[in-house]
Amino acid sequence: CDWSSDVCSSDLSGLSVLGNYETFANRRESGLKHLTEAATELDKLIAEDPNSIVNLRQQMFTLSHIADLRNTLADGGGAVAAAEEFVDVARKLRKADSADARGEADLGIALYRLATLLPDSQVARKQTVLLEAVDLLKAVLHKNPKNLEARNFVLNATIRLGDVYAAAGNRSTAVQKWIEGLPNVGQAATIVAYLDACRELATDAA
């Protein structure tokens, strides 16, 4: 189960499958209902066994889908609330095994996703969240330079951090971050972020 998957294996996979199917079938409200039900049931299981890695991971990804759905439904506050929750779960997973690179990467990705959902008015919070995300993901990449997922998220998080600095009026630091992001191009999925960075650098040089 990872950040791009639609289903995690567990006893609650039926609700997860149904919620995600309905989402892809453009029945977002119904999909959100079933995913929320799955999250509620997972809360009960986690309360009974707080150290269950399987349930914690399932909850993290379920909340991720809920955040995406709420954002699609123009519920920005609800999306951020769900994102705050999956970041909390990611921290618990990392704490359960601090030597686990997967947990380190998941927390970095969760923080990046939270930053993308925070309103533009929360500049300082975005900077703080993205800085932590980049540090975690760079640590993962340092341990395994072939980790394309970590490389891609380092690129996106670093460029997004540059955008935040630019919005705050700190153009020199923004340019520095855009340049830092460029060497981390890993695969085709990152080309949009790569082109965004090039565009920003070209604009700054004009």
Side-chain angles (χ1 to χ4, degrees):
C1 182
D2 59 36
W3 289 94
S4 60
S5 66
D6 300 317
V7 180
C8 301
S9 59
S10 83
D11 293 338
L12 296 169
S13 61
L15 283 172
S16 297
V17 170
L18 181 57
N20 283 291
Y21 169 77
E22 289 174 325
T23 300
F24 286 117
N26 210 31
R27 296 198 293 269
R28 296 185 179 91
E29 293 282 2
S30 183
L32 178 60
K33 175 179 177 293
H34 287 105
L35 286 169
T36 302
E37 288 174 1
T40 299
E41 292 304 313
L42 280 162
D43 278 339
K44 296 176 183 177
L45 292 176
I46 291 169
E48 294 173 0
D49 184 4
N51 298 316
S52 171
I53 300 299
V54 171
N55 289 336
L56 285 169
R57 285 186 64 80
Q58 169 103 9
Q59 183 69 305
M60 180 174 64
F61 293 115
T62 300
L63 290 166
S64 172
H65 289 305
I66 289 172
D68 288 338
L69 264 177
R70 289 196 177 280
N71 192 50
T72 301
L73 293 167
D75 179 9
V80 170
E84 297 276 14
E85 287 189 63
F86 68 61
V87 167
D88 286 344
V89 176
R91 290 195 190 281
K92 291 176 184 177
L93 282 166
R94 190 189 180 212
K95 185 178 180 180
D97 187 357
S98 59
D100 181 18
R102 177 70 266 177
E104 194 171 31
D106 281 341
L107 178 54
I109 294 168
L111 287 162
Y112 166 74
R113 299 200 62 240
L114 168 60
T116 64
L117 293 169
L118 288 170
D120 292 338
S121 59
Q122 295 188 24
V123 176
R125 178 86 197 285
K126 279 195 174 194
Q127 287 179 358
T128 300
V129 172
L130 283 168
L131 284 168
E132 185 181 0
V134 170
D135 285 345
L136 285 163
L137 292 164
K138 281 184 174 180
V140 173
L141 197 56
H142 178 74
K143 294 172 186 174
N144 180 11
K146 295 182 179 180
N147 188 325
L148 290 180
E149 181 183 48
R151 185 175 297 279
N152 293 339
F153 276 102
V154 167
L155 168 67
N156 285 286
T158 303
I159 291 173
R160 184 64 65 101
L161 186 56
D163 294 342
V164 173
Y165 278 116
N170 191 343
R171 194 73 183 178
S172 60
T173 303
V175 171
Q176 177 187 342
K177 294 302 176 184
W178 292 328
I179 292 173
E180 283 180 16
L182 294 181
N184 292 297
V185 178
Q187 60 186 34
T190 65
I191 195 64
V192 173
Y194 172 80
L195 291 174
D196 283 345
C198 291
R199 184 195 67 243
E200 295 291 355
L201 288 170
T203 299
D204 186 74

